[in-house]
Amino acid sequence: GLSSDSRKKFQVEINLNGRQAAENSAHSVAYALYLTYKPNNRLSLSLNPQYAMLTDGQQYVRTVDDAVPSYILSTIRQHIASMSVRVNYGITPDMSLQWYALPYLFSGDYSDFKTVLNPRADRFEDRFRKLEQYPYDNPDFHFLQFRSNLVYRWEYRPGSVLYLVWSQGRTVHDAGGSFRFGDYLGDLFRSVPQNDFLIKVSYAWTF
């Protein structure tokens, strides 16, 4: 990876990695970007977008219970996108505000269904028999999630602290594995949120 000077107010780090299995039976590539901005001692902002594509030619799908059980595998193409956001703001030496959010998008697209013939064959392609048709339900899916926390902290006297917390969660799990970034974001933020609110107060007795 590459990174900028950590002593600066604005910092950047870029990471890229990939993997290739034997006979191209699996491969992946992942990108990550880290952005941090600290204009002063009171405020800190950070963004961490990530994206990964993974393909695996040996994804287990199901077992067919015939006289001799057979195992159905497939090729699965996975797309994963996320971005964590953090904001820390010191309002006063005794009072602060923190916000964290993470949208997460994941899709799985199945194709090239096959049964296992000889799992120990030397050549990867000789281990399977390709199915002309897949007579079962399509297992393609996507999973979308958003999580956020907003925390207000006030130390109203030494050792005594008040917390106000707002947490929100959204989740979508549906069929279809073709990765559609814009549509997924729209579906996610149109979904019904779950909001939780918490108040916590601590009081330090001094003698």
Side-chain angles (χ1 to χ4, degrees):
L2 301 174
S3 60
S4 63
D5 191 340
S6 60
R7 297 170 296 180
K8 301 295 185 180
K9 292 182 178 180
F10 183 67
Q11 304 165 30
V12 180
E13 181 178 344
I14 301 173
N15 288 326
L16 169 64
N17 63 74
R19 181 178 68 90
Q20 179 88 32
E23 299 187 63
N24 201 31
S25 59
H27 57 271
S28 65
V29 61
Y31 312 87
L33 177 64
Y34 302 86
L35 304 174
T36 303
Y37 180 54
K38 298 179 180 179
N40 50 55
N41 293 330
R42 297 171 56 191
L43 180 62
S44 173
L45 309 171
S46 67
L47 295 175
N48 174 211
Q50 300 187 53
Y51 177 66
M53 296 177 291
L54 306 92
T55 300
D56 187 349
Q58 302 181 81
Q59 175 65 41
Y60 171 80
V61 179
R62 67 185 301 144
T63 300
V64 179
D65 293 320
D66 292 330
V68 177
S70 61
Y71 303 97
I72 297 180
L73 306 184
S74 78
T75 296
I76 184 171
R77 293 176 177 83
Q78 303 172 70
H79 295 261
I80 306 169
S82 66
M83 185 175 70
S84 62
V85 182
R86 296 179 186 272
V87 180
N88 295 304
Y89 179 59
I91 303 170
T92 69
D94 302 320
M95 192 181 300
S96 65
L97 197 62
Q98 298 177 329
W99 183 59
Y100 171 79
L102 176 66
Y104 177 86
L105 314 176
F106 179 94
S107 70
D109 186 11
Y110 293 77
S111 62
D112 189 27
F113 295 94
K114 56 226 175 190
T115 58
V116 179
L117 287 179
N118 183 3
R120 297 185 179 182
D122 291 336
R123 297 177 60 198
F124 179 75
E125 61 183 23
D126 293 338
R127 300 172 189 174
F128 314 100
R129 178 177 61 85
K130 186 174 181 180
L131 295 177
E132 297 300 326
Q133 292 184 337
Y134 181 71
Y136 308 99
D137 292 339
N138 189 335
D140 293 354
F141 74 97
H142 59 271
F143 175 80
L144 321 174
Q145 191 173 73
F146 175 77
R147 293 287 181 264
S148 70
N149 288 289
L150 180 64
V151 180
Y152 169 80
R153 181 185 183 277
W154 175 33
E155 188 173 5
Y156 56 93
R157 55 171 291 169
S160 301
V161 183
L162 167 68
Y163 292 95
L164 302 178
V165 181
W166 171 34
S167 297
Q168 185 180 99
R170 298 170 184 260
T171 301
V172 175
H173 191 185
D174 207 349
S178 298
F179 189 75
R180 304 188 311 275
F181 182 82
D183 292 342
Y184 284 176
L185 281 180
D187 292 344
L188 181 58
F189 287 102
R190 282 191 296 268
S191 64
V192 178
Q194 177 178 330
N195 294 295
D196 296 301
F197 299 91
L198 173 68
I199 299 176
K200 179 181 177 180
V201 181
S202 66
Y203 185 85
W205 295 91
T206 57
F207 299 93

